[in-house]
Amino acid sequence: MITIPYLTALTTYFSYGLLFAFGQFRDFFRKIFDWWKASNLQGYAPICLGLEDFYIRRLYHRIQDCFGRPICSPPDAWFDVVERVSNDNNKTLKRTTKVSRCLNLGSYNYLGFAASDEYCTPRVIESLKKFSSSTCSARVDGGTTSIHMELEECVANFVGKPAAIVTGMGYVTNSAILPVLIGKGGLIISDSLNHNSIVNGARGSGATIRVFQHNTPSHLEKVLREHIAEGQPRTHRPWKKIIVIVEGIYSMEGELCQLPEIVAICKKYKAYVYLDEAHSIGAVGKTGRGVCELLGVDTADVDIMMGTFTKSFGSCGGYIAGSKELIEFLKYTCPAHLYATSISPPAAQQIISAIKVILGEDGSSRGAQKLARIRENSNFFRSELQKMGFEVLGDNDSPVMPIMLYNPAKIPAFSRECLKQNVAVVIVGFPATPLLLARARICISAAHSREDLNKALEVISRVGDLVGIKYFPAEPKKQQLEENRVKLE
């Protein structure tokens, strides 16, 4: 849980209140000056209405240059960011021909496979020549190739499950498969900070949804016990099915799931475990097999394992791994399998090749070196940020490290100042996070060298001093400690 200092919370509320007041003030005068203009949609309700529209017009547009920045190179350790200009106070942005070479701290390129690779790229090009860029068909029609069959077998072996099914989009893997797994009369117990794809999938299922406090096994047990005792609403019949949904690494917090404790509780109460490993598979664990390997959990104790190929594998799509019976059931019922175009063959080949590199099946030790480097880079960067006085969320070994910003004025200030010094960062605010908990989300890659990380730390430290986001006292440097000792002597 994040504990916000009272003064920080007060100033953040005041800033949002001021923005809201000025926005309402501008809207009031806008209505006065526009009242005589005839509407082309007389009788229609406004298609954009409510606080969401107000937030976009009066708050988001002020800082939209900090989001959606186009790039024109692979998302490697360094990439090219296209500069944009606005002539109407940020309402619209136009691309220019100018390009800035920036250090990439925003992409999910955890193992560095997003750029050209000596083993993966030639095989991807060969698959493009053989199969073309798309199957132009769903899996059940003409969209299944030999590469898709090989990919599903490869994924199942990699994660330690009997079978797997792959989809063309990571978000859809959750949002389309959850409604197939459970429906009315079932109970979903979800971590309070689960990803939006899980939230939408759970809502679409029609099942009863309950939330437990983020990463708190004791509260999960309390929720489970209470709802098993109560049964279904109104009828109080036993639940048809109970699924507990958690993430391996929480993408906005950088925290590792307390999986051993959660699995033990689910076993006790006979609930299924659904594990989303979008950010953990390939990135953590001795051989990159995710949080189960890192935390010593037997994959047989996790009933449904979900993951994506968009992070560690440098591709696209997602997967579900489980028992053969479960996967066969999904192949006959899942909309993402029945109706959506199958994953692109070159993208599938990229995943297969990346897994082979990770496991050392390419005949080299590059995979082990990448895994060691991402772990070293992540722990070094997190440690140095904390020493500087930043409030950094997350656990060791996690490549995701949010730096808390809080105040709305500091969101664009941090992003713009970093970009000026050729460091590209991702900033996150409402509605992706709670209103008060805006942050910059740093993603570390195995492609980053120590020089890259040191440069990033220097820039972030300078910008942190300028913007005022070092909420804790910095640790004294070794040189200062030695000088103090000399003076005392």
Side-chain angles (χ1 to χ4, degrees):
M1 295 293 289
I2 303 171
T3 304
I4 311 174
Y6 287 116
L7 182 60
T8 303
L10 185 64
T11 55
T12 303
Y13 271 127
F14 178 77
S15 298
Y16 275 113
L18 202 62
L19 287 168
F20 184 83
F22 272 101
Q24 292 288 358
F25 188 70
R26 293 182 68 183
D27 275 3
F28 174 75
F29 280 99
R30 180 186 179 189
K31 288 177 182 178
I32 291 176
F33 288 112
D34 291 353
W35 70 271
W36 64 83
K37 290 185 179 179
S39 174
N40 294 325
L41 295 173
Q42 290 182 1
Y44 285 85
I47 197 166
C48 299
L49 188 65
L51 285 176
E52 290 83 0
D53 178 51
F54 174 83
Y55 180 86
I56 291 169
R57 287 185 294 103
R58 298 305 183 199
L59 281 79
Y60 174 76
H61 276 167
R62 290 172 176 265
I63 62 171
Q64 72 165 326
D65 60 296
C66 300
F67 301 95
R69 289 173 176 146
I71 64 172
C72 56
S73 68
D76 204 1
W78 290 77
F79 61 5
D80 296 326
V81 178
V82 179
E83 295 183 17
R84 297 176 294 175
V85 295
S86 176
N87 298 319
D88 53 6
N89 298 317
N90 252 15
K91 288 182 181 178
T92 58
L93 296 166
K94 294 181 179 179
R95 294 190 302 273
T96 67
T97 56
K98 294 180 180 179
V99 171
S100 298
R101 188 70 175 168
C102 295
L103 180 60
N104 180 9
L105 295 181
S107 299
Y108 305 133
N109 183 26
Y110 296 144
L111 293 184
F113 284 117
S116 179
D117 182 83
E118 61 186 71
Y119 182 84
C120 300
T121 305
R123 286 159 179 79
V124 170
I125 294 171
E126 187 62 33
S127 69
L128 177 62
K129 293 177 181 177
K130 183 178 180 180
F131 294 101
S132 84
S133 60
S134 174
T135 63
C136 298
S137 185
R139 287 290 302 275
V140 294
D141 298 327
T144 298
T145 67
S146 57
I147 288 185
H148 292 91
M149 304 297 288
E150 182 185 355
L151 174 60
E152 289 177 339
E153 184 179 346
C154 186
V155 169
N157 292 334
F158 183 66
V159 301
K161 281 291 185 182
I165 184 174
V166 298
T167 64
M169 182 180 177
Y171 187 97
V172 167
T173 310
N174 280 326
S175 61
I177 283 179
L178 279 173
V180 176
L181 291 175
I182 192 168
K184 190 176 180 181
L187 174 64
I188 291 175
I189 301 181
S190 178
D191 188 287
S192 61
L193 295 182
N194 273 341
H195 191 263
N196 179 262
S197 60
I198 295 173
V199 173
N200 284 342
R203 288 173 178 171
S205 70
T208 300
I209 304 168
R210 294 294 178 266
V211 173
F212 69 95
Q213 290 174 8
H214 172 58
N215 222 9
T216 309
S218 58
H219 190 246
L220 167 63
E221 183 170 15
K222 180 183 177 184
V223 173
L224 264 170
R225 188 168 57 244
E226 287 178 356
H227 285 83
I228 289 173
E230 291 176 6
Q232 296 184 40
R234 294 193 299 275
T235 64
H236 301 292
R237 292 175 181 171
W239 299 101
K240 293 179 180 178
K241 194 186 301 180
I242 301 175
I243 298 180
V244 174
I245 307 177
V246 293
E247 295 185 32
I249 291 178
Y250 291 90
S251 59
M252 288 296 171
E253 278 66 39
E255 295 176 358
L256 295 168
C257 170
Q258 294 192 29
L259 193 60
E261 295 86 349
I262 288 171
V263 166
I265 291 167
C266 290
K267 274 187 173 183
K268 179 179 177 181
Y269 292 95
K270 304 298 185 288
Y272 292 108
V273 180
Y274 184 109
L275 175 64
D276 179 339
E277 288 218 79
H279 286 267
S280 53
I281 192 68
V284 297
K286 186 177 180 181
T287 59
R289 287 181 164 91
V291 291
C292 288
E293 182 178 52
L294 181 68
L295 302 177
V297 175
D298 189 347
T299 55
D301 293 331
V302 180
D303 304 285
I304 304 143
M305 299 182 72
M306 176 269 176
T308 64
F309 305 121
T310 53
K311 281 80 178 176
S312 298
F313 306 100
S315 188
C316 62
Y319 69 85
I320 292 286
S323 65
K324 289 184 179 179
E325 294 78 13
L326 170 66
I327 300 306
E328 282 301 311
F329 171 73
L330 291 176
K331 285 181 178 179
Y332 288 110
T333 56
C334 176
H337 186 81
L338 295 172
Y339 308 116
T341 302
S342 61
I343 188 171
S344 167
Q349 182 61 56
Q350 166 68 24
I351 301 159
I352 295 168
S353 301
I355 290 175
K356 287 182 177 180
V357 173
I358 292 169
L359 296 177
E361 294 178 6
D362 64 329
S364 74
S365 60
R366 290 195 306 123
Q369 291 170 6
K370 284 176 178 287
L371 289 166
R373 199 177 305 122
I374 182 65
R375 184 168 55 252
E376 291 169 4
N377 285 354
S378 300
N379 293 338
F380 166 75
F381 204 80
R382 183 185 303 280
S383 173
E384 292 301 310
L385 286 174
Q386 290 171 340
K387 288 176 183 177
M388 291 175 181
F390 292 102
E391 184 176 357
V392 185
L393 305 186
D395 297 317
N396 283 335
D397 290 349
S398 169
V400 181
M401 47 200 76
I403 301 173
M404 298 309 296
L405 303 176
Y406 297 119
N407 198 289
K410 296 180 181 181
I411 300 173
F414 183 81
S415 177
R416 290 165 182 163
E417 289 300 322
C418 284
L419 188 65
K420 285 179 184 177
Q421 300 182 51
N422 298 105
V423 173
V425 298
V426 169
I427 44 104
V428 188
F430 179 84
T433 66
L435 191 67
L436 294 185
L437 303 182
R439 63 200 68 180
R441 184 176 63 177
I442 306 297
C443 292
I444 297 300
S445 171
H448 288 133
S449 66
R450 187 54 61 95
E451 291 76 19
D452 293 336
L453 298 181
N454 284 330
K455 173 184 170 53
L457 288 166
E458 290 174 10
V459 171
I460 291 173
S461 180
R462 286 198 298 269
V463 174
D465 289 329
L466 179 65
V467 177
I469 56 172
K470 293 184 177 180
Y471 295 104
F472 299 106
E475 290 185 13
K477 295 181 180 179
K478 290 182 179 180
Q479 291 180 350
Q480 292 176 343
L481 289 172
E482 290 174 0
E483 288 174 2
N484 291 337
R485 284 174 188 168
V486 170
K487 288 179 181 178
L488 287 171
E489 289 172 0

